[in-house]
Amino acid sequence: MDRVAEAAAIARDQVANTIRLLDEGNTVPFIARYRKEVTGELDEVQIRRIEELVCYHRGLEQRKSDVLRLIEEQGKLTEEIRTRILGASRLTEVEDLYRPFRQRRKTRAGMAREKGLEPLATYLLSFPRAGSPESEAASYLSEAVPTVAEALQGARDIVAETVADDPDVRGWVRDHARRYGLLVTRARDPEVDSVYRMYYDYREPLRTVVPHRVLAVNRGEHEEFLRVSVEVEQDAVLSYLQRWFGREGSVTSDLVREAVVDAYRRLVAPAVERDVRHELTERAGAQAVDVFSRNLRSLLLQPPVRQMVVLGVDPAYRTGCKWAVVDDTGKLQEVGVVYPTPPQNHTREAESVFKRLVDEYRVQVIAVGNGTASRETEQFVADFIGVHGGGRLSYTIVSEAGASVYSASALAAQEFPDLDVSLRSAVSIARRLQDPLAELVKIEPRAIGVGQYQHDVPPKRLEESLTAVVESTVNYVGVDLNTASAPLLGYVAGVNETLAKNIVRYREKTGRFRNRQQLSEVSRLGPKTFEQCVGFMRITGGENPLDATPIHPESYALADRLLGLIGSGFSDVGQPALRAKLARLSIQAVAAELGAGVPTLRDIVESLARPGRDPRDELPLPLFRTNVLNIQDLEPGMELRGTVRNVVDFGAFVDIGVKQDGLVHISELADGYVRHPLDVLSVGDVVSVRVLSADAKRGRIALSMRGLPPQLTV
């Protein structure tokens, strides 16, 4: 408990209460929203951090128990070892302490022990002042050990393993490597060009290597372009080991010194290199997951473009641009294919089709996917709008990441059984503009590519983190119980895939939900699940106005008493007069009068004032365009508006309406110091940028935000 509180930098009683709630089976969104008095208003990030630390420390305690049992079974458990294991705060410490007792494959030292040479090794470490090691070794000769040299070598092997297995040695060398080691990369073949050329002869202190560089060199090594190693100045390490294990003036000093050098070079150094690189990769992976997660949340929270008829276009070259028209409710109207891009270049035919669609369905915006052939398609769309738009039509670029995954999924087949797989993606692109969250939850989170090196981190870890992000976002926004799809319902707190399908089946069988209590009639949805999920499910136009708010049914009585206190009723919910009354309240005083918690009452007041609030509606809409630029049009000093498409450790990529996204390096994000790009930008932000340079040959655009107005943050 204390270690979790210290690591999370949260008060012990808050940690204890949160752990109790988690152990009782409560979900993180439920705890964060509806148990604020118990946790001291911890947010989801803090609660998930506690959950993660508790899981780690419980695993650590279990490993300690297992190690103690295994050592005790060997009859080698001493009080000192027990104390050190129980006092270990990290898993590596436990494993270092267990290492000498671990059952292992045959080693040189193990074979020497089998030959009876351990007493000779003990003799070497006794550092006698007189006598001869050779004479001592002669007494150990046998058929298995025919020479004195082999006897002494076997004894040195045992000494080397003893040194290497010492937990203090490994801990010191590992820490020394962290502080003074270098990450060194070299080309396997300098003549072969690759994207890793900057790492063909590269070295950097381990303590300064940034996460994205670690993952880059790991990938270069995996693809066999690079050789990667950790270099440590060995003289300092050997000097330490000699002071620890050596002793001058003995007839065995030189032999022990040789064994210590062998221990470091053959056993300790390779193991420490693996450990340190694993640590670097773990930290880099955690950073990559964090960046991906934060970008994903921003993408999911993109504001919906409501009440617009959308023509979605999935660009391609040879196979043509698939298109789909959806009405202002997202219902599919028509699909097809046009070929305005190379090699066909049938622009006139495509223009004729688009004109018919715009006129027939009153299309208001065209959503163009950002994949292959996107810019050629964008140019065609911009030219079309210039001729036929009439000032009423615009277009925007929509991320199509994961659209192909959705198109081939069982869910897409269920939604559009009569559509070809290739046409379903255009429907998804159109709907993503209308309601990004509702559409993107249909896709595996890791297929939505907004991050860096996400394919280089453990899939399970990435999936767990991204699933938590989607769950958090869905519950933050809330879902309409009468319109939400099964995939969307499946992310509501406490609801799994089976329950989500049961809710949809109940809705199809009995009609619209009229009140939240009907949820308890859904098959396999028990009291605990009802408690966890009901507050995040909304019913518009139902029997009880509170069902359209985030207020939990357990607080309906409190809301009723509050309304009675100010002379209002349920029929006033959301009305200007009620908002005015609520604005004049002293939350502290009313909470004391009603015997309620301040955080809960504050949330109730906010919900009564704005019952249908969607937090996404307060964010800026996507950037709509009517024309397109070429990279040749760009000149240094030009100021443009653009949309942030991706944020990574070293900067942000911004779509300014050119074929290539421009890079705003971290040093150009603001006038002051920026610790990380995500501190000032999010995916979907609409920003002002200045062109620094445009390299048409290499397709690279450098942008700056220094000295420009702040972004419109999502």
Side-chain angles (χ1 to χ4, degrees):
M1 188 80 69
D2 291 331
R3 284 177 176 170
V4 172
E6 182 180 355
I10 297 171
R12 190 182 189 281
D13 61 333
Q14 290 177 284
V15 170
N17 290 339
T18 302
I19 292 174
R20 177 174 55 79
L21 288 169
L22 289 167
D23 287 344
E24 289 172 356
N26 294 292
T27 62
V28 172
F30 175 81
I31 295 171
R33 174 74 192 188
Y34 298 113
R35 292 296 179 264
K36 292 181 178 179
E37 284 84 3
V38 180
T39 67
E41 296 193 79
L42 296 181
D43 60 29
E44 278 196 42
V45 174
Q46 293 170 305
I47 295 169
R48 290 193 190 279
R49 177 61 175 157
I50 291 172
E51 185 178 41
E52 175 187 312
L53 287 168
V54 167
C55 182
Y56 173 80
H57 282 286
R58 285 177 176 171
L60 177 62
E61 292 305 312
Q62 181 60 53
R63 182 56 180 162
K64 288 180 184 180
S65 176
D66 291 342
V67 166
L68 288 171
R69 175 180 53 79
L70 291 168
I71 298 175
E72 190 168 30
E73 287 174 357
Q74 298 177 34
K76 299 177 181 178
L77 183 61
T78 65
E79 196 56 40
E80 180 188 357
I81 293 171
R82 182 191 299 276
T83 300
R84 292 193 66 179
I85 289 174
L86 291 176
S89 59
R90 299 173 63 181
L91 193 57
T92 51
E93 294 177 50
V94 176
E95 297 303 333
D96 282 350
L97 290 163
Y98 177 51
R99 184 177 179 81
F101 308 98
R102 187 188 299 275
Q103 299 297 316
R104 63 185 85 188
R105 58 180 175 78
K106 279 197 171 184
T107 63
R108 283 164 46 174
M111 290 186 286
R113 288 189 179 95
E114 290 175 1
K115 296 174 183 178
L117 295 175
E118 187 149 25
L120 182 58
T122 303
Y123 163 78
L124 296 183
L125 289 172
S126 69
F127 295 104
R129 293 281 180 176
S132 165
E134 289 76 11
S135 299
E136 184 71 20
S139 62
Y140 291 91
L141 298 183
S142 65
E143 186 176 334
V145 186
T147 67
V148 167
E150 288 184 53
L152 290 174
Q153 181 59 58
R156 285 198 299 271
D157 289 340
I158 294 172
V159 172
E161 189 170 273
T162 301
V163 172
D165 282 350
D166 189 301
D168 293 323
V169 167
R170 284 184 174 257
W172 187 92
V173 175
R174 194 183 291 118
D175 185 59
H176 182 82
R178 292 186 192 113
R179 287 189 289 172
Y180 303 109
L182 298 174
L183 181 70
V184 179
T185 63
R186 296 183 179 87
R188 282 181 174 269
D189 184 350
E191 302 302 317
V192 176
D193 197 18
S194 75
V195 295
Y196 306 104
R197 177 160 290 280
M198 69 171 290
Y199 298 116
Y200 278 12
D201 186 12
Y202 183 85
R203 57 181 54 227
E204 181 180 358
L206 291 175
R207 64 180 182 275
T208 65
V209 179
V210 291
H212 67 268
R213 187 166 296 133
V214 172
L215 296 178
V217 300
N218 284 356
R219 180 180 286 187
E221 182 181 43
H222 177 72
E223 294 176 4
E224 299 188 347
F225 287 105
L226 301 176
R227 298 184 190 278
V228 185
S229 61
V230 172
E231 290 186 3
V232 180
E233 176 55 55
Q234 71 172 8
D235 288 348
V237 177
L238 292 176
S239 176
Y240 164 81
L241 294 179
Q242 295 294 356
R243 289 197 305 272
W244 189 270
F245 286 97
R247 193 175 302 170
E248 296 301 325
S250 167
V251 295
T252 63
S253 294
D254 290 343
L255 293 171
V256 172
R257 187 178 297 111
E258 291 173 15
V260 168
V261 172
D262 177 51
Y264 175 68
R265 291 177 177 171
R266 180 169 59 89
L267 301 174
V268 177
V272 166
E273 178 173 357
R274 287 192 299 271
D275 290 346
V276 170
R277 286 199 61 192
H278 177 73
E279 289 175 3
L280 287 174
T281 301
E282 280 287 298
R283 283 200 298 271
Q287 173 72 359
V289 169
D290 181 61
V291 169
F292 196 122
S293 298
R294 293 168 70 179
N295 282 341
L296 176 61
R297 182 177 178 85
S298 297
L299 185 63
L300 294 174
L301 285 174
Q302 292 288 290
V305 177
R306 305 182 193 278
Q307 298 178 339
M308 277 196 176
V309 179
V310 180
L311 169 58
V313 183
D314 181 12
Y317 290 117
R318 182 180 55 82
T319 57
C321 299
K322 278 66 69 177
W323 56 262
V325 178
V326 297
D327 68 13
D328 55 4
T329 67
K331 183 179 179 182
L332 177 63
Q333 301 297 304
E334 189 178 345
V335 296
V337 185
V338 292
Y339 299 88
T341 55
Q344 288 89 348
N345 294 311
H346 296 164
T347 53
R348 284 193 177 181
E349 292 87 338
E351 186 177 334
S352 175
V353 171
F354 274 28
K355 185 176 187 310
R356 177 183 67 79
L357 296 173
V358 169
D359 292 342
E360 182 176 341
Y361 296 106
R362 299 185 180 276
V363 172
Q364 295 157 284
V365 62
I366 300 175
V368 181
N370 68 342
T372 304
S374 171
R375 293 311 182 186
E376 291 82 356
T377 306
E378 181 185 7
Q379 184 67 63
F380 162 73
V381 169
D383 292 343
F384 171 81
I385 290 174
V387 176
H388 302 286
R392 303 183 307 275
L393 186 63
S394 60
Y395 78 89
T396 189
I397 301 296
V398 175
S399 170
E400 65 175 50
S404 59
V405 175
Y406 162 75
S407 299
S409 69
L411 176 62
Q414 182 181 338
E415 283 193 279
F416 306 108
D418 300 326
L419 283 189
D420 184 83
V421 171
S422 63
L423 294 171
R424 295 170 185 162
S425 58
V427 185
S428 178
I429 288 169
R431 286 179 168 179
R432 287 183 190 199
L433 182 64
Q434 292 181 322
D435 192 341
L437 179 59
E439 196 63 26
L440 290 172
V441 294
K442 301 175 183 177
I443 302 165
E444 287 185 31
R446 58 192 172 92
I448 306 172
V450 280
Q452 57 182 14
Y453 300 105
Q454 57 265 26
H455 302 296
D456 298 320
V457 299
K460 183 180 178 183
R461 180 179 186 178
L462 182 64
E463 183 179 356
E464 288 174 351
S465 180
L466 298 186
T467 299
V469 169
V470 180
E471 179 188 54
S472 171
T473 307
V474 168
N475 289 287
Y476 171 66
V477 173
V479 303
D480 187 321
L481 189 51
N482 284 314
T483 62
S485 65
L488 188 60
L489 289 166
Y491 282 107
V492 174
V495 177
N496 57 28
E497 183 180 348
T498 300
L499 280 177
K501 290 178 179 177
N502 288 349
I503 292 171
V504 172
R505 274 196 289 268
Y506 178 91
R507 193 171 66 200
E508 292 171 346
K509 181 180 178 181
T510 64
R512 291 174 55 86
F513 282 90
R514 301 180 306 280
N515 60 71
R516 281 171 164 171
Q517 290 303 321
Q518 286 180 276
L519 268 174
S520 59
E521 300 172 9
V522 173
S523 174
R524 305 184 71 175
L525 199 153
K528 187 66 176 181
T529 302
F530 179 88
E531 176 193 49
Q532 299 297 304
C533 73
V534 67
F536 303 107
M537 295 182 174
R538 317 286 155 73
I539 300 174
T540 303
E543 296 171 349
N544 188 337
L546 297 186
D547 286 349
T549 74
I551 300 172
H552 197 283
E554 66 185 11
S555 296
Y556 280 7
L558 176 59
D560 188 24
R561 289 163 56 207
L562 171 64
L563 290 170
L565 184 67
I566 60 176
S568 298
F570 287 161
S571 60
D572 299 316
V573 173
Q575 298 301 314
L578 178 60
R579 281 199 292 272
K581 288 182 179 180
L582 293 171
R584 293 193 294 268
L585 288 178
S586 167
I587 301 295
Q588 295 278 355
V590 173
E593 184 174 348
L594 295 176
V598 170
T600 295
L601 189 65
R602 188 191 307 124
D603 288 345
I604 289 174
V605 168
E606 171 66 20
S607 299
L608 292 174
R610 306 169 67 189
R613 173 181 176 262
D614 184 334
R616 298 174 297 170
D617 290 338
E618 300 166 11
L619 304 172
L621 289 171
L623 196 60
F624 294 104
R625 302 182 185 278
T626 57
N627 56 14
V628 67
L629 289 171
N630 291 314
I631 193 170
Q632 290 82 3
D633 299 327
L634 301 180
E635 295 180 1
M638 287 180 66
E639 293 187 10
L640 302 163
R641 299 286 279 168
T643 303
V644 177
R645 293 299 179 197
N646 199 0
V647 183
V648 293
D649 284 344
F650 51 85
F653 291 95
V654 179
D655 175 5
I656 55 172
V658 182
K659 183 174 183 179
Q660 299 83 6
D661 290 343
L663 172 64
V664 184
H665 189 266
I666 187 171
S667 61
E668 296 291 336
L669 286 173
D671 294 328
Y673 170 74
V674 175
R675 186 186 63 84
H676 192 278
L678 281 168
D679 294 339
V680 295
L681 282 181
S682 298
V683 169
D685 284 355
V686 177
V687 297
S688 296
V689 295
R690 181 186 300 108
V691 177
L692 294 178
S693 64
D695 186 337
K697 184 177 180 181
R698 300 173 68 193
R700 293 187 177 179
I701 303 167
L703 304 172
S704 175
M705 291 171 55
R706 294 169 69 91
L708 294 172
Q711 71 279 0
L712 300 176
T713 306
V714 168

